[in-house]
C-alpha cells in the first residue's frame, strides 16, 4: 500500500454514535425493503435518462434522490440560499461547474443530487463491477485510476473537457470518507481541471444530524465498515437529518493556483464562507447568504499560477479489495493516536 494514499483515523467503532432514538427492527426492515429497490431502479434507469433534455433529466434525478433518502428514513435540509426560488435556480445548467464536498457516506451521492445532479467522479474499480460498472459508465460517471500517477494528467484533461462542455461534475477532494466531525486534506488535481476549464467551483458542506442537532455518526461509512452494517445503522437510527449547506461559488481561471483553490474550498466547507456560519454541531441557526454576488473568499485568487506538476496525492485514494458503495471509502483507515489533538470522532 502506497504511503501517500489518503487515510482517515475514523473507524466504525469510534465514529458511529447517534444521539437519538433507535428505530424498531420492523421499521428498519421496512426502510431497507423500500430503499434498496429504489437504489437499484435508479442505477438501471440512469442510462435511459441520458437522451432526455437536461432540465427533465435533472428533475427526475432530484425526485429519485429525495425518494431514496426518504425511504432510508432521512429528512433533507438545504441551507445557504434562502428565497432563491426552485431548486433549478440553485444549480443552473449551461456553464460547467465543479461541485466539491466533504465525504462521509454512500448517502452523499443521492444527497448532492437533490440539488446538483451531474456527472460523478468515481474510482476506476467501479467500472469493473459486474452490471453496475457498465450502468455507471453509461450514466455519465467519470472514472479515475487513483493508484496510477501516470494516468493523472489524462484524468485532469478528461475532467477539464467535461467542464468545458458545460457538465456539472461532482467530486470528493478528500478522496476518502471521514466521519464528518473532522475532514481530510483536499487533493488538488480536480481543481486543476477547473482552472484549465475556467469553471467555477461550488463548495458544499454535508452534515448528518441527530434530532438534538448534533452531528450523527450513523451514516459514516469509514474504515473497515461493510455495506450491510452501514445500511442497518442508517435505517435503525431515528430522526436522522441530511443537511446540505450551499456555499458561494469560487471563480477559477488561468491565474488561479490549484493548491490555493483546494485550500480555499476546504476552508469554506470547514469554517463557512463570509456571511455563513461554521458547523457548530449544535443545530443553531446559520446566517445564510444568497449565492449570487456573495463576498469572495479570502485567497480565492492566488495570483499568477506557479508551474507545477500534478500532486502525487491528487485524485488518489485507497483502493478497496472489495466493492464499496462509497466512492472513496478508505478501507485501511488508521485510528488516531492517543496523543493526537484531533477531536475523537
Amino acid at each position: 500500500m502506497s504511503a501517500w494514499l489518503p487515510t482517515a483515523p475514523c473507524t466504525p467503532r469510534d465514529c458511529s454514535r447517534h444521539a437519538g432514538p433507535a428505530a424498531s427492527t420492523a421499521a428498519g426492515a421496512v426502510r431497507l425493503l423500500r430503499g434498496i429497490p429504489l437504489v437499484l431502479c435508479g442505477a438501471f434507469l440512469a442510462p435511459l435518462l441520458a437522451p432526455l433534455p437536461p432540465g427533465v433529466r435533472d428533475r427526475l434525478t432530484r425526485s429519485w434522490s429525495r425518494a431514496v433518502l426518504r425511504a432510508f428514513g432521512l429528512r433533507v435540509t438545504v441551507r445557504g440560499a434562502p428565497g432563491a426560488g426552485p431548486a433549478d435556480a440553485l444549480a443552473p445548467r449551461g456553464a460547467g461547474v465543479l461541485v466539491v464536498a466533504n465525504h462521509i457516506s454512500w448517502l452523499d451521492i443521492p444527497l448532492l443530487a437533490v440539488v446538483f445532479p451531474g456527472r460523478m467522479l468515481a474510482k476506476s474499480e467501479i467500472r469493473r463491477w459486474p452490471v453496475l460498472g457498465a450502468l455507471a459508465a453509461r450514466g455519465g460517471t467519470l472514472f479515475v485510476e487513483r493508484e496510477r500517477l501516470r494516468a493523472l494528467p489524462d484524468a485532469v484533461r478528461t475532467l477539464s473537457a467535461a467542464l468545458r462542455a458545460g457538465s456539472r461534475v461532482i467530486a470528493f477532494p478528500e478522496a476518502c470518507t471521514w466521519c464528518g466531525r473532522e475532514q481530510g486534506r483536499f487533493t488538488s488535481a480536480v481543481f486543476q481541471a477547473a482552472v484549465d476549464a475556467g469553471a467555477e467551483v461550488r463548495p458544499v458542506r454535508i452534515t448528518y444530524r441527530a434530532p438534538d442537532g448534533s452531528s450523527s455518526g450513523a451514516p459514516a461509512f469509514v474504515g473497515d465498515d461493510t455495506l450491510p452494517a452501514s445500511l442497518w445503522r442508517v435505517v435503525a437510527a431515528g430522526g436522522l437529518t441530511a443537511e446540505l449547506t450551499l456555499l458561494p461559488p469560487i471563480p477559477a481561471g488561468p491565474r488561479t493556483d490549484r493548491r490555493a483553490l483546494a485550500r480555499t474550498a476546504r476552508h469554506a466547507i470547514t469554517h463557512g464562507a463570509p456571511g455563513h456560519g461554521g458547523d457548530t454541531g449544535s443545530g443553531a441557526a446559520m446566517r445564510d447568504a444568497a449565492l449570487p454576488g456573495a463576498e469572495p473568499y479570502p485567497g480565492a485568487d492566488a495570483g499568477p499560477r506557479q508551474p507545477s506538476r500534478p500532486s502525487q496525492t491528487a485524485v488518489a485514494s485507497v483502493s478497496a479489495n472489495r466493492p464499496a458503495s462509497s466512492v472513496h471509502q478508505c478501507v485501511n483507515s488508521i485510528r488516531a493516536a492517543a496523543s493526537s489533538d484531533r477531536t475523537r470522532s
Side-chain angles (χ1 to χ4, degrees), residues 281-302:
S282 64
M286 298 170 58
R287 293 174 296 163
D288 295 329
L291 297 180
E295 181 182 348
Y297 294 104
D301 186 355

Side-chain angles (χ1 to χ4, degrees), residues 20 47 78 96 108 169 188 217 220 237 297 303:
V78 180
D108 299 346
V169 177
S188 60
Y297 294 104

Side-chain angles (χ1 to χ4, degrees), residues 98 119-122 127 140-145 151-169 189-190 192-194 196-197 315:
L98 177 65
R119 303 184 67 179
M120 182 64 60
L121 181 66
R127 196 170 200 165
T141 299
L142 298 167
F143 296 100
V144 175
E145 294 186 60
L152 204 54
D154 286 339
V156 171
R157 283 191 288 271
T158 299
L159 287 174
S160 180
L163 291 168
R164 285 196 186 97
S167 293
R168 189 184 299 128
V169 177
V190 291
Q192 183 63 53
D196 292 344
V315 203

Side-chain angles (χ1 to χ4, degrees), residues 130-187:
V131 184
L132 291 179
L135 292 173
R138 289 177 59 196
T141 299
L142 298 167
F143 296 100
V144 175
E145 294 186 60
R146 302 165 304 163
E147 293 193 2
R148 287 189 60 236
L149 294 180
R150 292 181 180 179
L152 204 54
D154 286 339
V156 171
R157 283 191 288 271
T158 299
L159 287 174
S160 180
L163 291 168
R164 285 196 186 97
S167 293
R168 189 184 299 128
V169 177
I170 293 86
F172 300 106
E174 288 169 298
C176 183
T177 48
W178 287 64
C179 68
R181 296 180 176 89
E182 293 186 58
Q183 289 178 207
R185 185 177 66 86
F186 277 15
T187 57

Side-chain angles (χ1 to χ4, degrees), residues 231-256:
L231 278 166
W232 185 253
R233 271 201 317 274
V234 169
V235 298
L240 266 181
T241 296
E243 181 180 284
L244 283 178
T245 302
L246 313 183
L247 296 154
I250 308 171
R255 290 176 57 83
T256 309

